[in-house]
């Protein structure tokens, strides 16, 4: 019974979330490398989303891997647009 009461609230809350402005602002940082989706996080660093990353990628150095999450940090020789992150710490 409690779930029936929460269901309309959860549906209305999820509809209120609008990620479109965030996507529009950062869409230039979304790219592909070797056909795999990637997000620019620095001028020459990309976060690649893939279960398996090919071992030999031209002009790419693999910096870190997390096979469990399917995330790979790579460095390229060319520059890419990237997401400009705002620091969240308060300088503690």
């Amino acid at each position: 019974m409690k779930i029936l009461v929460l269901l309309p609230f959860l549906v209305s809350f999820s509809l209120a979330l609008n990620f479109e402005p965030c996507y529009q602002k950062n869409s230039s940082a979304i790219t592909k490398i070797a056909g795999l989706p990637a997000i620019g996080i620095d001028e020459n660093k990309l976060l690649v989303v893939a279960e398996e990353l090919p071992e030999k990628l031209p002009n790419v150095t693999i910096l870190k891997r997390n096979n469990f999450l399917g995330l790979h940090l790579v460095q390229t020789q060319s520059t890419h647009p990237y997401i400009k992150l705002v620091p969240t710490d308060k300088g503690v």
Side-chain angles (χ1 to χ4, degrees), residues 35-53:
L36 301 168
I39 301 169
I41 59 170
D42 199 354
E43 284 184 357
N44 59 353
K45 291 186 180 98
L46 297 167
L47 187 62
V48 182
V49 181
E51 287 183 25
E52 293 288 328
L53 193 63

Side-chain angles (χ1 to χ4, degrees), residues 3-73:
I3 192 71
L4 293 176
V5 174
L6 286 175
L7 191 59
F9 171 75
L10 293 174
V11 169
S12 65
F13 181 72
S14 66
L15 292 176
L17 297 176
N18 184 4
F19 293 104
E20 187 64 26
C22 182
Y23 175 78
Q24 292 298 326
K25 181 178 179 184
N26 297 303
S27 64
S28 64
I30 300 171
T31 186
K32 288 193 177 211
I33 185 166
L36 301 168
I39 301 169
I41 59 170
D42 199 354
E43 284 184 357
N44 59 353
K45 291 186 180 98
L46 297 167
L47 187 62
V48 182
V49 181
E51 287 183 25
E52 293 288 328
L53 193 63
E55 290 297 323
K56 299 287 184 182
L57 291 173
N59 302 321
V60 173
T61 305
I62 300 170
L63 300 176
K64 290 189 177 189
R65 293 178 186 242
N66 187 323
N67 291 329
F68 181 73
L69 295 176
L71 298 174
H72 310 275
L73 181 64

